[in-house]
Amino acid sequence: MAGVINGDEREIQKNYWVEHSVDLTVESMMLDSMASDLDKEERPEVLSLLPSYEGKRVLELGAGIGRFTGELAKTAGEVIALDFIESVVKKNESINGHCKNVKFMCADVTSPDLRFPAESIDLIFSNWLLMYLSDKEVEDIAERFLKWVKVGGHIFFRESCFHQSGDHKRKQNPTHYREPRFYTKAFKQCHMTDASGNSYELSLIGSKCIGAYVRSKKNQTQICWIWQKVASSEDDRGFQQFLDNGQYKSSGILRYERIFGPGFVSTGGLDPTKEFGALLDLKPGQKVLDVGCGIGGGDFYMADNFDVDVIGIDLSVNMIAFALERSIGLQCSVEFEVADCTKKSYPDNSFDVIYSRDTILHIQDKPALFRTFYKWLKPGGKVLISDYCRKSGKPSEDFAEYIKQRGYDLHDVETYGKMLKDAGFGEVIAEDRTKQFIEVLQRELERVEKEKEEFIQDFTEGDYNDIVGGWKAKLVRTGSGEQRWGLFIAKKK
């Protein structure tokens, strides 16, 4: 073995993998009796998530017996395949040794003796590695990754979160099944300064469940992250940071959930979801994309009640973290991903339904998004959107300031419907649902005022005042006719 395995943690993990590396099969590496079938589905999926590495230098950590090594070697300029169990490295070499662009290494990733030159790697790839490191080792390795990877280069890792996924019996299991937010935080906090004084950090490109596990096991615990090394910028942290540090910070999400009901952060919670679900006439096996899925309540409802497969995407890292936590034990076919709907791509004709609740108000170029929705939908597919709107004509100064402060892009109901028509949709229903919106707001406000003491006990008096003040302000804006709420249903020809 190259390198030194430090402390009890490394010895325990080494012994664990020596025990489970006797057979050197896909089943023993994945610790699952369904491994062969899962591998056929998940390996292409994982590879499809990687940024382009054609002709580039790839560092594969925890390479195992080489499930991914040979695939990476087909495209990469060079692959360094590293594992800390000697027999496993030799097995990988026996399978993939014919690939002349692969270098096989036996080393422990946590060893200080393991060194790569700064900015020498284009892509760091690991599949099930960090869960075998202590919290401190994860934080340390994140810093080393940041140093090793080139500016503009990427880091991809995939881990089992929350609890064990594989069904292999284990005498003892030292694996760390962490909450996803631990990994997000550990890598987001990484910063470095090079010899010239330039500062760098990691930007989160995406994070999602591995769909193969959602489809075959109704399991959302297999989660991957893609990061990019970028120059640090204090001025522009982007819209994602605006959401996660402002309106959708963790405490704000929990306050909204308290008002809207378990799993919901949009108007009315479960009741409108039931009504809108019925309007969609969902059929078992249909594929639904939820744009701005929040913490997943609507997705769980649709998957559970209509036996549909749902992909929920949201730009807020915090929202997806909560959605993943809420999914545990539900056994439903819902896949979650941190993604920007204006940058995401799906093949044409991918979905039967695209669903979005009070989210598209954040999108400035709605016509472009609706054209994209049209392409993503199958022929005869439907889009259902509820969204904040405004009355036609010029808004008042107060309402214009509110729109600006929130970063919203609001239109009147008729204009909104016309944008869907112009995108190609044949049948478009555009309904002003402001009366329903006002009734829901009044019910929610009455409930929170009635439960004032419990709310303050669980949050703070300031939180209570924010919520009550916010709801009263919405009632003033809707009562004056300035703020509207629209429901839009459109069908692809």
Side-chain angles (χ1 to χ4, degrees):
M1 292 277 302
V4 179
I5 299 195
N6 297 313
D8 294 341
E9 174 83 28
R10 304 313 310 132
E11 201 57 42
I12 290 165
Q13 298 293 357
K14 183 188 173 187
N15 292 337
Y16 176 68
W17 275 108
V18 166
E19 179 193 336
H20 290 286
S21 302
V22 175
D23 294 340
L24 297 176
T25 61
V26 172
E27 283 73 20
S28 64
M29 291 294 104
M30 293 179 73
L31 299 168
D32 199 301
S33 60
M34 291 173 64
S36 292
D37 290 336
L38 276 169
D39 179 48
K40 282 182 195 137
E41 200 179 342
E42 72 135 36
R43 195 173 358 168
E45 180 184 352
V46 168
L47 290 163
S48 75
L49 297 171
L50 300 179
S52 173
Y53 55 93
E54 187 176 350
K56 294 187 174 175
R57 195 172 193 223
V58 178
L59 173 60
E60 183 190 9
L61 299 173
I65 60 172
R67 267 203 316 139
F68 289 96
T69 307
E71 298 287 349
L72 293 167
K74 288 176 187 174
T75 307
E78 180 189 3
V79 178
I80 302 163
L82 181 147
D83 203 281
F84 78 146
I85 304 292
E86 204 158 348
S87 60
V88 169
V89 177
K90 284 181 176 169
K91 178 74 172 181
N92 189 1
E93 195 163 4
S94 74
I95 296 168
N96 295 304
H98 64 282
C99 303
K100 300 305 175 199
N101 58 339
V102 179
K103 179 184 176 186
F104 300 91
M105 281 183 74
C106 187
D108 177 16
V109 295
T110 67
S111 168
D113 295 341
L114 180 68
R115 293 190 184 97
F116 294 97
E119 299 185 11
S120 63
I121 309 291
D122 294 289
L123 170 65
I124 297 175
F125 173 89
S126 75
N127 187 66
W128 293 318
L129 169 73
L130 304 180
M131 60 202 219
Y132 302 116
L133 307 183
S134 70
D135 290 1
K136 178 71 167 65
E137 286 168 342
V138 171
E139 288 162 3
D140 290 347
I141 203 74
E143 297 284 352
R144 295 175 85 190
F145 283 5
L146 180 59
K147 287 191 182 79
W148 295 343
V149 79
K150 292 178 182 176
V151 180
H154 293 85
I155 297 162
F156 173 97
F157 60 87
R158 173 271 193 92
E159 304 299 330
S160 298
C161 296
F162 301 113
H163 60 73
Q164 179 180 316
S165 290
D167 58 10
H168 269 205
K169 287 194 170 66
R170 310 169 205 193
K171 290 178 203 163
Q172 42 93 40
N173 188 353
T175 312
H176 300 283
Y177 299 110
R178 300 179 172 97
E179 291 188 355
R181 61 180 74 226
F182 169 83
Y183 294 112
T184 303
K185 186 180 177 187
F187 279 75
K188 209 178 230 180
Q189 286 180 337
C190 278
H191 295 274
M192 67 161 282
T193 305
D194 66 14
S196 305
N198 301 308
S199 297
Y200 299 100
E201 62 188 27
L202 293 169
S203 172
L204 182 64
I205 301 302
S207 176
K208 74 183 294 292
C209 302
I210 300 297
Y213 276 74
V214 174
R215 291 185 290 274
S216 63
K217 288 176 171 267
K218 305 285 193 287
N219 175 342
Q220 288 83 8
T221 66
Q222 296 298 315
I223 300 166
C224 67
W225 287 257
I226 303 163
W227 301 85
Q228 185 173 34
K229 181 172 178 175
V230 297
S232 297
S233 166
E234 295 302 325
D235 301 325
D236 180 19
R237 298 279 176 178
F239 187 52
Q240 185 178 68
Q241 276 88 345
F242 167 74
L243 291 177
D244 282 330
N245 298 328
Q247 191 176 359
Y248 300 138
K249 63 185 179 187
S250 294
S251 59
I253 291 169
L254 292 171
R255 289 186 335 188
Y256 282 142
E257 186 183 30
R258 181 62 166 268
I259 305 300
F260 298 127
F264 290 93
V265 288
S266 58
T267 301
L270 183 59
D271 289 344
T273 303
K274 286 180 173 177
E275 181 198 351
F276 299 161
L279 291 172
L280 283 167
D281 191 28
L282 294 164
K283 300 284 191 291
Q286 286 189 323
K287 292 195 165 23
V288 178
L289 176 67
D290 183 0
V291 175
C293 63
I295 59 176
D299 301 337
F300 302 138
Y301 174 81
M302 288 187 282
D304 196 37
N305 288 274
F306 299 99
D307 195 23
V308 292
D309 299 319
V310 186
I311 294 176
I313 64 173
D314 204 294
L315 185 59
S316 164
V317 177
N318 293 339
M319 289 285 195
I320 295 296
F322 279 117
L324 289 165
E325 286 165 21
R326 303 290 191 273
S327 71
I328 302 308
L330 293 183
Q331 287 288 301
C332 59
S333 184
V334 181
E335 189 180 322
F336 291 111
E337 177 174 1
V338 176
D340 181 341
C341 64
T342 65
K343 295 175 183 170
K344 186 71 190 163
S345 64
Y346 292 104
D348 291 359
N349 310 317
S350 288
F351 300 101
D352 298 283
V353 168
I354 295 176
Y355 179 87
S356 184
R357 297 289 313 282
D358 304 355
T359 293
I360 293 172
L361 51 94
H362 292 295
I363 309 297
Q364 300 298 316
D365 191 351
K366 289 178 179 53
L369 183 66
F370 294 158
R371 289 193 296 272
T372 301
F373 283 0
Y374 190 87
K375 287 195 293 185
W376 288 348
L377 280 170
K378 296 175 183 177
K382 293 177 188 171
V383 61
L384 184 147
I385 298 165
S386 73
D387 215 358
Y388 284 17
C389 295
R390 63 179 178 85
K391 69 177 184 182
S392 57
K394 191 180 176 188
S396 68
E397 280 184 29
D398 284 351
F399 193 54
E401 183 53 37
Y402 163 76
I403 294 169
K404 184 184 173 187
Q405 178 248 325
R406 288 287 183 146
Y408 291 164
D409 174 68
L410 304 186
H411 299 269
D412 64 77
V413 172
E414 191 181 336
T415 301
Y416 208 115
K418 187 175 182 304
M419 285 192 284
L420 284 162
K421 265 202 177 81
D422 291 345
F425 289 95
E427 299 169 31
V428 177
I429 296 166
E431 290 183 4
D432 189 319
R433 292 289 191 106
T434 309
K435 184 173 179 289
Q436 179 184 4
F437 187 61
I438 291 170
E439 288 165 2
V440 168
L441 287 170
Q442 286 168 336
R443 278 200 305 274
E444 289 166 346
L445 182 59
E446 281 167 21
R447 192 170 69 246
V448 77
E449 286 181 326
K450 195 174 166 187
E451 298 170 3
K452 178 178 179 179
E453 283 182 27
E454 296 97 310
F455 191 99
I456 290 171
Q457 202 172 342
D458 291 341
F459 297 95
T460 67
E461 190 160 1
D463 288 320
Y464 174 81
N465 292 335
D466 279 353
I467 288 290
V468 168
W471 259 243
K472 284 180 175 175
K474 279 189 226 181
L475 283 166
V476 168
R477 290 193 298 269
T478 49
S480 70
E482 287 264 35
Q483 185 170 333
R484 320 294 297 169
W485 193 53
L487 174 66
F488 307 94
I489 304 171
K491 192 172 181 181
K492 183 171 177 175
K493 295 169 188 171

